[in-house]
Every structure is written in structure tokens, then in C-alpha cells.
Amino acid sequence: EREAAEREAAEREAAERAELERAAQQREREERERSREARRAQREAEQRAALEAAVREAAERAAERSALDRAAERAAKSEKAAAAALRAAAATAAHRAAAEAQGGAEREAVRAREAAVAAEEAATEAAEKAAAAVNLATDCEQAAEAAAAATAAAEAARTACEAEAAAAAAEAAASYNEAPARLDQGSSSSAAEAPVPREEEPPHDFTCPITTEVMSDPVMAADGHSYERKQIERWLATKSTSPLTGGALEHPYLTPNHMLRRQIRDWEGARKAV
């Protein structure tokens, strides 16, 4: 009986140990499961955080692109407005120059006609003196020939002046400056020389607001104004404001102003031709 009791006690103890081991294993499995769940939750949280960060970055990039698009649109509108203003200014200047050239040509034509009349009167007077003074026939004939040549030169100069005045202001001015000189060689009367045209000032939009000199490589900044590339790059290296208005610039990007560059080159070519 004692042995049976001991065996029974041993069996109960073994059963209890087995039950404890099973409970420990169950707790261990549950702990591992909770650890896996925690790691899974942590990974999901990290993934959600990364996704939110990517969404925020994409939103920021979209906002930046939108701002750049708006700035480019404003720059394009400013460029169109500047081009329209330049075309209007060029048309006004061309009309003014044409009117001044036409007025100058008309004045020169009047002077040429007056000089031609004076030359004809001198030729008539020389011919009368030649008929009266027989002993000076040779000199009178020479004077008459000179007067006739002067009359022909005056008539040719008057015709050339009227034709060239309708062609172009620059050619008319050059031709009319030569006409009085030809008339003075064969006539006693002299025509006033045409005034020397003063050097044309460059349009305001062609000059850099920083250097006030004509630009060779114009670029447009965020304020909608054009500057010489080297000057505005030197400015933006230390500042973030507009050199012209003093206001803060939305961005430091520069856009080449090809239309303004072509207009400056055309203006310089026309000035050199004159």
C-alpha cells in the first residue's frame, strides 16, 4: 500500500509537472505570438509612416511644380506684355522718325530748288555780261559753261533729293547733305548744311536696370523684369530680392528673354547701318 501510495504520488507529481510544462509552453507560445504581433504592428506603423511621408513629399513637390508653373505663366504674360510694349514703342519711334525725315527732306528740297533758281539767275547774268563784254568773251564763255553746269547739277540734286526722301530717312539725309556742297561749287549762293543727326538713345527696355547699359544676354527674373545675365546672377548670389522693386523674389530661376535679345540685335544693326 505504501508503494502504491508513493507511485500514485509520483504519478500525480509527474502529471503536475507535465501540466506545468504544458502551461509554460503555452505561455511561451503566447509570448512568441504576442511578440510576432508586436513586430507586425511595428512594421505596419513604419510602413504607414513611410507612406505618409511619401504622400507629404509628393504633395510638396506638386505644390512646388504648381508654383513654378504659375511663375512661368506670369513670366510668359510679362514677356508678351513687354513685347507688345516694345512693338508699340518701335512703331511710334518709326512713325516719328519717318515724319522727321519727311520734314527734313521737304526742307532740303526747298533749299535745293532755291539754290537751283539762284544758279539759273547767275547763269543768265553771266550770259548777259558775256554778250556785253566782247573783250572778255573767253572768260564769259567759261563762266557761262560753269553756270550751265551748276544749273544742271542743281536740277539733278533737286531730283535726287525728292526721290531719295521717299525711299528712306537715312539715305535721304546722306543725299541731301551732299546736294548743297555740289550747288556751292557752281553758284554764288550757298545752301545751309543739314544738321548732323544726334546719336539715338537706346530704348529703356533694352538697358539693364543694374548697369543702365544695353544688354547682350537678357534674362527674365521672378519679378517679371529683364536683366543682364552676369549682373543678375551676381546679385542673386548674395540677395533674394528684386534689384528694381526691392520686393522678395518667389524663386531664383532665370528665363532667357530670346525675343528681347533679337530686338536689341535688330536695333543695333539698324543703328550701325545708319
Short mmCIF file of all heavy atoms in Angstrom, two decimals, residues 130-191:
data_model
loop_
_atom_site.label_atom_id
_atom_site.label_comp_id
_atom_site.label_asym_id
_atom_site.label_seq_id
_atom_site.Cartn_x
_atom_site.Cartn_y
_atom_site.Cartn_z
N ALA A 130 28.55 138.38 -120.74
CA ALA A 130 29.41 137.88 -121.81
C ALA A 130 29.07 138.54 -123.15
O ALA A 130 29.95 138.85 -123.96
CB ALA A 130 29.26 136.37 -121.93
N ALA A 131 27.74 138.74 -123.40
CA ALA A 131 27.34 139.40 -124.65
C ALA A 131 27.78 140.86 -124.67
O ALA A 131 28.10 141.41 -125.73
CB ALA A 131 25.84 139.30 -124.83
N ALA A 132 27.78 141.54 -123.51
CA ALA A 132 28.14 142.96 -123.45
C ALA A 132 29.63 143.18 -123.54
O ALA A 132 30.09 144.19 -124.07
CB ALA A 132 27.59 143.59 -122.17
N ALA A 133 30.40 142.26 -122.96
CA ALA A 133 31.87 142.46 -122.94
C ALA A 133 32.51 141.48 -123.91
O ALA A 133 32.74 140.33 -123.58
CB ALA A 133 32.41 142.26 -121.53
N VAL A 134 32.75 141.96 -125.14
CA VAL A 134 33.32 141.10 -126.18
C VAL A 134 34.76 140.75 -125.86
O VAL A 134 35.23 139.64 -126.14
CB VAL A 134 33.23 141.80 -127.55
CG1 VAL A 134 33.83 140.93 -128.65
CG2 VAL A 134 31.79 142.13 -127.86
N ASN A 135 35.48 141.73 -125.24
CA ASN A 135 36.90 141.50 -124.97
C ASN A 135 37.12 140.44 -123.90
O ASN A 135 38.21 139.90 -123.76
CB ASN A 135 37.58 142.80 -124.54
CG ASN A 135 36.91 143.43 -123.34
OD1 ASN A 135 35.77 143.07 -123.02
ND2 ASN A 135 37.57 144.37 -122.69
N LEU A 136 36.01 140.14 -123.16
CA LEU A 136 36.12 139.08 -122.14
C LEU A 136 35.31 137.86 -122.56
O LEU A 136 34.72 137.16 -121.73
CB LEU A 136 35.63 139.59 -120.79
CG LEU A 136 36.42 140.77 -120.20
CD1 LEU A 136 35.77 141.23 -118.90
CD2 LEU A 136 37.87 140.39 -119.97
N ALA A 137 35.24 137.62 -123.91
CA ALA A 137 34.40 136.54 -124.43
C ALA A 137 34.83 135.17 -123.89
O ALA A 137 34.00 134.34 -123.51
CB ALA A 137 34.45 136.54 -125.95
N THR A 138 36.14 134.98 -123.84
CA THR A 138 36.62 133.67 -123.39
C THR A 138 36.22 133.41 -121.93
O THR A 138 35.69 132.35 -121.57
CB THR A 138 38.14 133.57 -123.54
OG1 THR A 138 38.48 133.80 -124.90
CG2 THR A 138 38.63 132.18 -123.11
N ASP A 139 36.48 134.45 -121.11
CA ASP A 139 36.13 134.29 -119.69
C ASP A 139 34.62 134.13 -119.50
O ASP A 139 34.15 133.35 -118.65
CB ASP A 139 36.62 135.51 -118.89
CG ASP A 139 38.13 135.58 -118.88
OD1 ASP A 139 38.78 134.52 -119.07
OD2 ASP A 139 38.68 136.68 -118.66
N CYS A 140 33.85 134.92 -120.34
CA CYS A 140 32.40 134.83 -120.22
C CYS A 140 31.89 133.45 -120.64
O CYS A 140 30.95 132.90 -120.05
CB CYS A 140 31.73 135.91 -121.07
SG CYS A 140 31.98 137.59 -120.40
N GLU A 141 32.49 132.89 -121.72
CA GLU A 141 32.08 131.56 -122.14
C GLU A 141 32.37 130.52 -121.05
O GLU A 141 31.55 129.65 -120.77
CB GLU A 141 32.80 131.19 -123.44
CG GLU A 141 32.30 131.97 -124.65
CD GLU A 141 33.11 131.64 -125.90
OE1 GLU A 141 34.05 130.81 -125.79
OE2 GLU A 141 32.79 132.17 -126.96
N GLN A 142 33.55 130.68 -120.43
CA GLN A 142 33.86 129.76 -119.35
C GLN A 142 32.88 129.91 -118.19
O GLN A 142 32.43 128.93 -117.59
CB GLN A 142 35.30 129.97 -118.87
CG GLN A 142 36.34 129.59 -119.92
CD GLN A 142 37.75 129.88 -119.44
OE1 GLN A 142 37.95 130.48 -118.39
NE2 GLN A 142 38.73 129.45 -120.24
N ALA A 143 32.54 131.18 -117.88
CA ALA A 143 31.58 131.41 -116.79
C ALA A 143 30.21 130.86 -117.15
O ALA A 143 29.49 130.29 -116.29
CB ALA A 143 31.49 132.91 -116.50
N ALA A 144 29.81 131.04 -118.44
CA ALA A 144 28.51 130.51 -118.86
C ALA A 144 28.49 128.99 -118.76
O ALA A 144 27.50 128.37 -118.33
CB ALA A 144 28.19 130.96 -120.29
N GLU A 145 29.60 128.34 -119.20
CA GLU A 145 29.67 126.88 -119.09
C GLU A 145 29.60 126.42 -117.62
O GLU A 145 28.92 125.45 -117.29
CB GLU A 145 30.95 126.36 -119.75
CG GLU A 145 30.95 126.53 -121.26
CD GLU A 145 32.29 126.13 -121.87
OE1 GLU A 145 33.20 125.77 -121.10
OE2 GLU A 145 32.40 126.16 -123.10
N ALA A 146 30.32 127.17 -116.78
CA ALA A 146 30.28 126.82 -115.35
C ALA A 146 28.87 127.01 -114.77
O ALA A 146 28.39 126.21 -113.96
CB ALA A 146 31.28 127.68 -114.57
N ALA A 147 28.20 128.12 -115.21
CA ALA A 147 26.84 128.36 -114.72
C ALA A 147 25.88 127.28 -115.21
O ALA A 147 24.99 126.82 -114.46
CB ALA A 147 26.37 129.74 -115.18
N ALA A 148 26.05 126.88 -116.50
CA ALA A 148 25.18 125.82 -117.02
C ALA A 148 25.42 124.51 -116.28
O ALA A 148 24.47 123.77 -115.96
CB ALA A 148 25.44 125.64 -118.52
N ALA A 149 26.69 124.23 -116.02
CA ALA A 149 26.99 123.01 -115.26
C ALA A 149 26.40 123.08 -113.86
O ALA A 149 25.87 122.09 -113.33
CB ALA A 149 28.51 122.79 -115.19
N ALA A 150 26.48 124.27 -113.24
CA ALA A 150 25.90 124.42 -111.90
C ALA A 150 24.39 124.24 -111.94
O ALA A 150 23.79 123.64 -111.03
CB ALA A 150 26.26 125.79 -111.33
N THR A 151 23.75 124.81 -113.01
CA THR A 151 22.30 124.65 -113.13
C THR A 151 21.92 123.18 -113.28
O THR A 151 20.96 122.69 -112.65
CB THR A 151 21.80 125.45 -114.34
OG1 THR A 151 22.15 126.83 -114.16
CG2 THR A 151 20.29 125.34 -114.46
N ALA A 152 22.66 122.47 -114.14
CA ALA A 152 22.38 121.04 -114.33
C ALA A 152 22.60 120.27 -113.04
O ALA A 152 21.81 119.38 -112.68
CB ALA A 152 23.26 120.48 -115.45
N ALA A 153 23.68 120.62 -112.32
CA ALA A 153 23.95 119.93 -111.06
C ALA A 153 22.86 120.23 -110.04
O ALA A 153 22.44 119.34 -109.28
CB ALA A 153 25.31 120.35 -110.51
N ALA A 154 22.39 121.48 -110.02
CA ALA A 154 21.32 121.83 -109.07
C ALA A 154 20.03 121.09 -109.40
O ALA A 154 19.34 120.59 -108.50
CB ALA A 154 21.08 123.34 -109.10
N GLU A 155 19.70 121.00 -110.70
CA GLU A 155 18.48 120.30 -111.08
C GLU A 155 18.58 118.80 -110.74
O GLU A 155 17.62 118.18 -110.24
CB GLU A 155 18.24 120.48 -112.59
CG GLU A 155 16.96 119.83 -113.10
CD GLU A 155 15.73 120.45 -112.48
OE1 GLU A 155 15.81 121.59 -112.03
OE2 GLU A 155 14.68 119.76 -112.46
N ALA A 156 19.78 118.22 -111.01
CA ALA A 156 19.98 116.81 -110.69
C ALA A 156 19.91 116.57 -109.19
O ALA A 156 19.33 115.58 -108.72
CB ALA A 156 21.34 116.33 -111.24
N ALA A 157 20.50 117.50 -108.42
CA ALA A 157 20.46 117.36 -106.96
C ALA A 157 19.04 117.46 -106.44
O ALA A 157 18.64 116.72 -105.54
CB ALA A 157 21.34 118.43 -106.30
N ARG A 158 18.23 118.40 -107.02
CA ARG A 158 16.85 118.55 -106.57
C ARG A 158 16.05 117.27 -106.87
O ARG A 158 15.30 116.77 -106.03
CB ARG A 158 16.20 119.75 -107.28
CG ARG A 158 14.74 120.00 -106.86
CD ARG A 158 14.19 121.21 -107.57
NE ARG A 158 14.16 121.01 -109.02
CZ ARG A 158 13.19 120.32 -109.65
NH1 ARG A 158 12.21 119.80 -108.97
NH2 ARG A 158 13.23 120.17 -110.96
N THR A 159 16.23 116.71 -108.07
CA THR A 159 15.52 115.48 -108.42
C THR A 159 15.93 114.32 -107.52
O THR A 159 15.10 113.54 -107.05
CB THR A 159 15.80 115.12 -109.89
OG1 THR A 159 15.43 116.24 -110.72
CG2 THR A 159 14.99 113.89 -110.30
N ALA A 160 17.26 114.22 -107.29
CA ALA A 160 17.74 113.12 -106.43
C ALA A 160 17.23 113.27 -105.01
O ALA A 160 16.87 112.29 -104.35
CB ALA A 160 19.28 113.10 -106.44
N CYS A 161 17.16 114.51 -104.52
CA CYS A 161 16.67 114.74 -103.16
C CYS A 161 15.21 114.32 -103.02
O CYS A 161 14.82 113.69 -102.03
CB CYS A 161 16.84 116.21 -102.77
SG CYS A 161 18.56 116.69 -102.49
N GLU A 162 14.38 114.70 -104.02
CA GLU A 162 12.96 114.35 -103.93
C GLU A 162 12.76 112.84 -104.00
O GLU A 162 11.90 112.28 -103.31
CB GLU A 162 12.20 115.04 -105.06
CG GLU A 162 12.14 116.57 -104.89
CD GLU A 162 11.45 117.23 -106.08
OE1 GLU A 162 11.20 116.54 -107.09
OE2 GLU A 162 11.18 118.43 -105.98
N ALA A 163 13.56 112.14 -104.84
CA ALA A 163 13.40 110.69 -104.96
C ALA A 163 13.88 109.97 -103.70
O ALA A 163 13.24 109.04 -103.21
CB ALA A 163 14.17 110.18 -106.19
N GLU A 164 15.02 110.40 -103.17
CA GLU A 164 15.59 109.73 -102.00
C GLU A 164 14.79 110.00 -100.74
O GLU A 164 14.78 109.20 -99.81
CB GLU A 164 17.04 110.17 -101.81
CG GLU A 164 17.96 109.66 -102.91
CD GLU A 164 19.36 110.25 -102.83
OE1 GLU A 164 19.57 111.08 -101.93
OE2 GLU A 164 20.20 109.89 -103.65
N ALA A 165 14.11 111.15 -100.67
CA ALA A 165 13.30 111.46 -99.49
C ALA A 165 12.17 110.47 -99.33
O ALA A 165 11.77 110.15 -98.21
CB ALA A 165 12.73 112.88 -99.60
N ALA A 166 11.62 109.96 -100.44
CA ALA A 166 10.52 108.99 -100.35
C ALA A 166 11.05 107.59 -100.03
O ALA A 166 10.29 106.75 -99.62
CB ALA A 166 9.75 108.96 -101.67
N ALA A 167 12.33 107.29 -100.25
CA ALA A 167 12.87 105.94 -100.05
C ALA A 167 13.15 105.65 -98.59
O ALA A 167 12.58 104.75 -98.02
CB ALA A 167 14.13 105.75 -100.89
N ALA A 168 14.03 106.44 -97.94
CA ALA A 168 14.39 106.15 -96.54
C ALA A 168 15.01 107.40 -95.94
O ALA A 168 15.64 108.20 -96.63
CB ALA A 168 15.39 105.00 -96.46
N ALA A 169 14.84 107.54 -94.63
CA ALA A 169 15.31 108.73 -93.93
C ALA A 169 16.84 108.81 -93.95
O ALA A 169 17.42 109.86 -94.15
CB ALA A 169 14.81 108.73 -92.49
N ALA A 170 17.50 107.66 -93.76
CA ALA A 170 18.96 107.66 -93.68
C ALA A 170 19.58 108.02 -95.03
O ALA A 170 20.50 108.85 -95.09
CB ALA A 170 19.45 106.30 -93.23
N GLU A 171 19.05 107.40 -96.12
CA GLU A 171 19.60 107.69 -97.44
C GLU A 171 19.29 109.13 -97.85
O GLU A 171 20.11 109.81 -98.48
CB GLU A 171 19.02 106.71 -98.46
CG GLU A 171 19.43 105.26 -98.19
CD GLU A 171 18.83 104.30 -99.20
OE1 GLU A 171 18.10 104.79 -100.08
OE2 GLU A 171 19.09 103.08 -99.09
N ALA A 172 18.08 109.62 -97.48
CA ALA A 172 17.71 110.99 -97.82
C ALA A 172 18.64 111.99 -97.15
O ALA A 172 19.10 112.95 -97.76
CB ALA A 172 16.27 111.27 -97.41
N ALA A 173 18.96 111.73 -95.85
CA ALA A 173 19.83 112.65 -95.13
C ALA A 173 21.21 112.70 -95.76
O ALA A 173 21.80 113.77 -95.92
CB ALA A 173 19.94 112.22 -93.67
N ALA A 174 21.76 111.51 -96.17
CA ALA A 174 23.09 111.48 -96.78
C ALA A 174 23.10 112.21 -98.13
O ALA A 174 24.00 112.98 -98.43
CB ALA A 174 23.54 110.04 -96.96
N SER A 175 22.05 111.96 -98.93
CA SER A 175 22.00 112.60 -100.25
C SER A 175 21.82 114.11 -100.12
O SER A 175 22.43 114.89 -100.85
CB SER A 175 20.86 112.01 -101.07
OG SER A 175 21.08 110.63 -101.26
N TYR A 176 20.97 114.52 -99.17
CA TYR A 176 20.71 115.96 -99.03
C TYR A 176 21.90 116.70 -98.44
O TYR A 176 22.09 117.89 -98.65
CB TYR A 176 19.48 116.16 -98.15
CG TYR A 176 18.22 115.60 -98.75
CD1 TYR A 176 17.22 115.06 -97.98
CD2 TYR A 176 18.06 115.57 -100.13
CE1 TYR A 176 16.08 114.51 -98.54
CE2 TYR A 176 16.94 115.03 -100.70
CZ TYR A 176 15.94 114.49 -99.90
OH TYR A 176 14.84 113.96 -100.48
N ASN A 177 22.73 116.02 -97.67
CA ASN A 177 23.94 116.67 -97.15
C ASN A 177 24.95 116.92 -98.28
O ASN A 177 25.78 117.82 -98.20
CB ASN A 177 24.58 115.79 -96.08
CG ASN A 177 23.79 115.83 -94.78
OD1 ASN A 177 23.11 116.81 -94.53
ND2 ASN A 177 23.89 114.77 -93.99
N GLU A 178 24.89 116.08 -99.34
CA GLU A 178 25.81 116.27 -100.45
C GLU A 178 25.29 117.30 -101.47
O GLU A 178 26.08 117.93 -102.17
CB GLU A 178 26.02 114.94 -101.17
CG GLU A 178 26.73 113.90 -100.30
CD GLU A 178 26.82 112.56 -100.99
OE1 GLU A 178 26.31 112.50 -102.14
OE2 GLU A 178 27.38 111.63 -100.42
N ALA A 179 23.98 117.50 -101.54
CA ALA A 179 23.41 118.39 -102.54
C ALA A 179 23.88 119.83 -102.36
O ALA A 179 24.29 120.49 -103.33
CB ALA A 179 21.88 118.33 -102.50
N PRO A 180 23.87 120.45 -101.16
CA PRO A 180 24.33 121.84 -101.03
C PRO A 180 25.79 122.01 -101.41
O PRO A 180 26.18 123.04 -101.95
CB PRO A 180 24.10 122.14 -99.54
CG PRO A 180 23.02 121.19 -99.14
CD PRO A 180 23.28 119.97 -99.92
N ALA A 181 26.64 120.95 -101.14
CA ALA A 181 28.04 121.06 -101.49
C ALA A 181 28.22 121.14 -103.00
O ALA A 181 29.05 121.90 -103.51
CB ALA A 181 28.81 119.87 -100.93
N ARG A 182 27.43 120.34 -103.76
CA ARG A 182 27.54 120.41 -105.22
C ARG A 182 27.05 121.75 -105.74
O ARG A 182 27.58 122.30 -106.71
CB ARG A 182 26.73 119.25 -105.84
CG ARG A 182 27.32 117.86 -105.57
CD ARG A 182 26.73 116.82 -106.50
NE ARG A 182 25.30 116.73 -106.36
CZ ARG A 182 24.70 115.87 -105.53
NH1 ARG A 182 25.41 115.08 -104.76
NH2 ARG A 182 23.37 115.83 -105.47
N LEU A 183 26.01 122.29 -105.12
CA LEU A 183 25.47 123.56 -105.58
C LEU A 183 26.42 124.73 -105.29
O LEU A 183 26.53 125.68 -106.06
CB LEU A 183 24.11 123.83 -104.92
CG LEU A 183 22.98 122.86 -105.34
CD1 LEU A 183 21.76 123.13 -104.51
CD2 LEU A 183 22.69 123.00 -106.81
N ASP A 184 27.16 124.65 -104.17
CA ASP A 184 28.06 125.75 -103.80
C ASP A 184 29.23 125.87 -104.77
O ASP A 184 29.83 126.95 -104.92
CB ASP A 184 28.59 125.52 -102.39
CG ASP A 184 27.50 125.74 -101.34
OD1 ASP A 184 26.53 126.44 -101.66
OD2 ASP A 184 27.66 125.20 -100.23
N GLN A 185 29.63 124.75 -105.44
CA GLN A 185 30.78 124.80 -106.34
C GLN A 185 30.48 125.61 -107.60
O GLN A 185 31.38 126.18 -108.20
CB GLN A 185 31.19 123.37 -106.74
CG GLN A 185 31.68 122.56 -105.55
CD GLN A 185 32.02 121.14 -105.93
OE1 GLN A 185 31.85 120.76 -107.09
NE2 GLN A 185 32.52 120.37 -104.97
N GLY A 186 29.22 125.64 -108.09
CA GLY A 186 28.91 126.34 -109.34
C GLY A 186 28.02 127.54 -109.16
O GLY A 186 27.59 128.11 -110.15
N SER A 187 27.67 127.91 -107.94
CA SER A 187 26.73 129.01 -107.71
C SER A 187 27.27 129.92 -106.64
O SER A 187 28.01 129.50 -105.75
CB SER A 187 25.37 128.47 -107.33
OG SER A 187 24.51 129.54 -106.99
N SER A 188 26.87 131.19 -106.72
CA SER A 188 27.32 132.16 -105.74
C SER A 188 26.56 132.05 -104.44
O SER A 188 26.99 132.55 -103.42
CB SER A 188 27.16 133.59 -106.30
OG SER A 188 25.79 133.83 -106.62
N SER A 189 25.34 131.45 -104.48
CA SER A 189 24.54 131.27 -103.27
C SER A 189 24.88 129.94 -102.64
O SER A 189 25.24 129.00 -103.33
CB SER A 189 23.04 131.32 -103.61
OG SER A 189 22.73 130.27 -104.49
N SER A 190 24.79 129.84 -101.35
CA SER A 190 25.12 128.61 -100.60
C SER A 190 23.91 128.18 -99.81
O SER A 190 23.20 129.00 -99.25
CB SER A 190 26.31 128.85 -99.66
OG SER A 190 25.98 129.84 -98.71
N ALA A 191 23.71 126.85 -99.81
CA ALA A 191 22.59 126.29 -99.03
C ALA A 191 23.10 125.84 -97.68
O ALA A 191 24.25 125.42 -97.54
CB ALA A 191 21.97 125.10 -99.77
#
